[in-house]
Amino acid sequence: MSALSTKRIVLAARPVGKAKEDDFRLEQAPVSDPGAGQLLLRTRYLSLDPYMRGRMEEAVAIGDVMVGQSVVDVLVSNHPSYKAGDVVLAQTGWQTLSISNGERLRKLDAADFPITTGLGVLGMPGFTAYVGMRLIGQPKRGETVVVAAASGPVGSLVGQLARIAGARAVGIAGGPDKCAFVKNKLGFDVAIDHRAPDLAQKLAVACPNGIDVYFENVGGAVWAAAWPLLNRLARVPVCGLVSQFGQQTPPGPDRLPATMRQILVKGLTVRGFINSDFLDQFSDFQREVSAGVSSGQIKYREDVIDGLENAPKAFIGMLEGRNFGKVIIRVAD
Amino acid sequence: MSALSTKRIVLAARPVGKAKEDDFRLEQAPVSDPGAGQLLLRTRYLSLDPYMRGRMEEAVAIGDVMVGQSVVDVLVSNHPSYKAGDVVLAQTGWQTLSISNGERLRKLDAADFPITTGLGVLGMPGFTAYVGMRLIGQPKRGETVVVAAASGPVGSLVGQLARIAGARAVGIAGGPDKCAFVKNKLGFDVAIDHRAPDLAQKLAVACPNGIDVYFENVGGAVWAAAWPLLNRLARVPVCGLVSQFGQQTPPGPDRLPATMRQILVKGLTVRGFINSDFLDQFSDFQREVSAGVSSGQIKYREDVIDGLENAPKAFIGMLEGRNFGKVIIRVAD
């Protein structure tokens, strides 16, 4: 019997409306010794991502560890592909120590890039931007691409990929600091503060030739502002609807028939995607985006918070847009 | 000054709710002699199609001739590409005689196929089915394809193309005669009567493995029945929403947020298309579908009504599903 124990954050209750700190619980639990073919992992960095809010609805059982990807050190390996000391991406969930059977691990080469990038610009958030743009958005020179949460890990890459394709990038972000970052550091053509009361009008002014790609990662008011501006044959990759979580079905009017009519009349493409369906494109993504990061053409920002115990608060803050860049919990250095 | 005159049907009023016969007016008008480069055309067959209901909302001015495609005889030609006696597809609108400058004409070879097929299975309705399936639907062997108005010119080809691709075809049609035709003549796997009070349940029973392609050409109750059955990565080509014409915005609840959530979670593709955007595929369509018609693999049905003066009534009947097959007005033989 191992003397080791893990600190972990479990789902204490299903959120009603907005997620709150009481929906999580920090607890201590014993960790068994790694068996044949298994590894003992120590979490260094934990990724917090909006999709986790969806997992709280059903996928994670009450009392189970919250799911999540992390950068870990291999402490003990009984697995032929890994050795103690390797730095690996893993699906450990929100905890300090864990046992793995070696599935869904990927070695990181710490020499090339800061290891935290494997959770952000060179990881799943970056891949989400890449796949959505390559598969669905397909921006062409001179077109206009709009994305919200533009200082976040997905939105920031969406806009930069748009610029690389020769398109105009319009980003929506919360507050003057993020807007300045989006425009001045990331190089978007325009940044709009979504807290502005006249968002729809500001967006219309920022898109004098309409919108060709609206990368949907928030829903709600941004969708309502972008929708009327969509051009004929516009594309709408749908990767997230974070504003909708915990929302009741709105009373009406029913916007669906008018939406379908616009899809028909304008020949729009509205397509959801889950990046794990397109892992065959992951190596292309890594090659292209890591080259851009290396050259300095692609920029990114991380928002690192210390301590696993602060994950629930940081997660809730992220859903409310209080983060500034990719949210990462430093669990152990 | 020519002594010729045309009988024509003009838009008398914009429809409020359902289109009615009073929204049209039959009138006589003089026809000028064809000038340099022009042709005088006599309409033989006029196509009636659901999209025309949309044109009555805005595109056709009050007092203007209703738009529409037809098979015509060239009576006089001052155009180098055509001669008197040619049989041609033209955009004459709902009238007996017309002048053309030669644009948007296409010669028909009456020897190959009945000339009316140029308005149906080998014309725009057939091309709509072909493009929607090739571009968006992309049915694979063993998948399930659902289409409404399955005895009509678009739906009937959608189901037959599904079968040719090795998919299961489920058709929805109005009444036992059409259902028998869809199943027994067109070879769909299942035909469902949309007048059944338990349409949603019948559709669920007919699709035990869910729906991979829902070809949307009607909207309304069929959409509501098909939507919950869509599988992950399902495709929804949207080519028409005939049930929505004249409908007010429904009071609610607002189904849009839940619809967007399903698009995200299931990775759905919902894409509108207008076949004139894809004319580069027209020759492929003609080659493939005419081969199928020649061999007897592809079947079609036409519903021919005599007399231009009967076009409004036939058109309204078509919107209400009282036709049986592609609606064509025999204007002159």
Side-chain angles (χ1 to χ4, degrees):
Chain A
M1 181 67 187
S2 164
L4 291 172
S5 74
T6 181
K7 257 196 330 190
R8 64 189 193 185
I9 291 175
V10 301
L11 185 63
R14 301 228 176 272
V16 178
K18 289 188 174 184
K20 56 190 189 308
E21 291 192 54
D22 287 352
D23 297 331
F24 303 90
R25 186 176 64 241
L26 178 68
E27 61 180 33
Q28 200 91 12
V31 177
S32 60
D33 287 319
Q38 291 188 324
L39 306 97
L40 174 65
L41 308 175
R42 178 178 58 197
T43 306
R44 287 173 65 175
Y45 294 98
L46 169 68
S47 180
L48 295 186
D49 300 278
Y51 79 84
M52 295 167 174
R53 178 63 185 81
R55 299 290 192 279
M56 297 173 76
E57 298 284 309
E58 249 183 47
V60 176
I62 301 290
D64 273 8
V65 180
M66 279 293 294
V67 294
Q69 195 175 37
S70 54
V71 176
V72 304
D73 291 319
V74 176
L75 295 185
V76 177
S77 175
N78 300 326
H79 191 288
S81 306
Y82 302 93
K83 61 177 193 304
D86 282 347
V87 179
V88 174
L89 272 176
Q91 297 288 338
T92 61
W94 300 18
Q95 57 185 337
T96 55
L97 291 178
S98 56
I99 298 291
S100 164
N101 60 6
E103 282 173 19
R104 301 179 72 193
L105 300 186
R106 181 163 65 84
K107 273 189 216 177
L108 289 174
D109 186 345
D112 291 342
F113 296 99
I115 55 175
T116 50
T117 57
L119 300 174
V121 64
L122 299 179
M124 281 302 155
F127 186 51
T128 298
Y130 179 87
V131 163
M133 290 295 267
R134 178 171 178 168
L135 197 73
I136 307 164
Q138 299 178 3
K140 293 170 209 42
R141 186 163 297 281
E143 287 192 336
T144 298
V145 175
V146 172
V147 66
S151 65
V154 178
S156 64
L157 189 54
V158 165
Q160 292 180 90
L161 291 174
R163 294 277 304 170
I164 290 170
R168 184 178 158 77
V170 175
I172 297 164
D177 290 350
K178 290 183 188 173
C179 284
F181 171 75
V182 165
K183 188 160 184 339
N184 302 331
K185 298 281 185 192
L186 299 179
F188 281 53
D189 296 275
V190 186
I192 300 173
D193 190 341
H194 72 72
R195 297 174 190 164
D198 54 345
L199 173 64
Q201 198 191 331
K202 282 212 161 62
L203 188 61
V205 169
C207 303
N209 300 317
I211 298 173
D212 302 291
V213 179
Y214 170 56
F215 194 102
E216 173 63 296
N217 55 357
V218 295
V222 181
W223 163 275
W227 181 251
L229 301 174
L230 291 177
N231 289 330
R232 279 205 70 224
L233 304 177
R235 289 81 67 197
V236 181
V238 181
C239 89
L241 297 162
V242 69
S243 76
Q244 282 188 24
F245 280 121
Q247 195 192 58
Q248 301 296 309
T249 297
D254 182 7
R255 291 175 294 169
L256 182 60
T259 303
M260 290 299 291
R261 177 115 191 97
Q262 287 303 298
I263 288 173
L264 170 61
V265 170
K266 291 185 174 174
L268 304 178
T269 300
V270 180
R271 179 170 173 188
F273 69 102
I274 295 165
N275 57 23
S276 55
D277 288 327
F278 305 99
L279 291 178
D280 58 317
Q281 300 186 29
F282 195 80
S283 58
D284 287 354
F285 154 69
Q286 283 226 300
R287 191 181 56 252
E288 293 177 32
V289 176
S290 64
V293 172
S294 279
S295 74
Q297 185 184 32
I298 292 177
K299 303 194 170 51
Y300 64 95
R301 181 180 172 119
E302 297 175 343
D303 187 343
V304 180
I305 294 137
D306 273 304
L308 181 69
E309 65 280 9
N310 293 319
K313 188 176 174 186
F315 178 69
I316 292 163
M318 178 189 68
L319 294 178
E320 293 173 356
R322 291 202 300 269
N323 59 309
F324 190 170
K326 165 65 195 151
V327 180
I328 294 172
I329 301 291
R330 186 188 285 119
V331 177
D333 228 346
Chain B
M1 182 65 188
S2 163
L4 292 171
S5 74
T6 181
K7 254 193 336 188
R8 65 189 191 185
I9 291 175
V10 301
L11 184 64
R14 300 228 176 270
V16 178
K18 288 187 174 185
K20 55 190 190 307
E21 291 193 53
D22 288 351
D23 297 331
F24 303 91
R25 186 176 63 241
L26 178 68
E27 61 180 34
Q28 200 92 13
V31 176
S32 60
D33 287 320
Q38 291 188 323
L39 307 96
L40 175 65
L41 307 175
R42 177 177 59 196
T43 306
R44 286 171 68 174
Y45 293 98
L46 168 68
S47 180
L48 296 185
D49 300 278
Y51 78 84
M52 295 166 174
R53 177 63 185 79
R55 298 290 193 280
M56 297 173 76
E57 297 284 309
E58 250 182 46
V60 176
I62 301 291
D64 273 8
V65 180
M66 279 293 295
V67 293
Q69 194 174 39
S70 54
V71 175
V72 304
D73 291 320
V74 175
L75 295 183
V76 177
S77 176
N78 299 326
H79 190 288
S81 306
Y82 302 93
K83 61 179 194 303
D86 281 347
V87 179
V88 173
L89 272 177
Q91 296 289 339
T92 62
W94 299 19
Q95 57 184 338
T96 55
L97 291 178
S98 56
I99 297 292
S100 165
N101 60 8
E103 281 173 21
R104 302 180 70 194
L105 300 186
R106 180 163 65 84
K107 273 189 215 180
L108 288 175
D109 187 344
D112 290 342
F113 296 99
I115 55 175
T116 50
T117 58
L119 300 174
V121 65
L122 299 180
M124 281 302 156
F127 186 51
T128 298
Y130 179 87
V131 164
M133 291 294 267
R134 178 172 179 166
L135 197 72
I136 307 164
Q138 300 178 4
K140 293 170 210 41
R141 185 164 299 280
E143 287 192 334
T144 298
V145 175
V146 172
V147 65
S151 65
V154 178
S156 64
L157 188 54
V158 165
Q160 291 180 91
L161 291 174
R163 294 278 303 169
I164 290 170
R168 183 178 159 78
V170 175
I172 297 165
D177 291 352
K178 290 182 187 173
C179 284
F181 171 75
V182 165
K183 189 160 181 344
N184 302 331
K185 298 280 185 196
L186 299 180
F188 282 52
D189 296 274
V190 186
I192 299 173
D193 191 340
H194 70 72
R195 297 173 191 165
D198 54 346
L199 173 64
Q201 198 191 331
K202 280 209 162 62
L203 187 61
V205 169
C207 303
N209 299 318
I211 298 173
D212 301 291
V213 179
Y214 170 57
F215 194 102
E216 173 63 297
N217 56 356
V218 295
V222 181
W223 163 275
W227 181 252
L229 302 174
L230 291 177
N231 289 330
R232 279 205 69 224
L233 304 176
R235 288 81 68 197
V236 181
V238 181
C239 89
L241 296 163
V242 69
S243 76
Q244 283 189 22
F245 281 123
Q247 195 193 59
Q248 302 294 310
T249 296
D254 182 6
R255 292 175 294 170
L256 182 60
T259 303
M260 290 299 290
R261 177 114 191 99
Q262 287 303 297
I263 288 174
L264 170 61
V265 170
K266 291 184 174 174
L268 304 177
T269 300
V270 180
R271 179 169 172 188
F273 69 101
I274 294 164
N275 57 23
S276 55
D277 289 326
F278 305 100
L279 291 178
D280 58 318
Q281 300 186 30
F282 197 79
S283 59
D284 287 354
F285 154 69
Q286 283 227 302
R287 191 181 59 251
E288 293 179 31
V289 176
S290 64
V293 172
S294 280
S295 74
Q297 184 184 31
I298 291 178
K299 303 195 169 51
Y300 64 95
R301 180 178 173 122
E302 296 175 344
D303 186 344
V304 179
I305 294 138
D306 274 304
L308 181 68
E309 65 280 9
N310 293 318
K313 187 176 173 185
F315 178 69
I316 292 163
M318 178 189 68
L319 293 179
E320 294 172 356
R322 291 202 299 270
N323 59 309
F324 191 169
K326 166 67 197 151
V327 180
I328 293 171
I329 301 292
R330 186 189 285 117
V331 177
D333 228 347

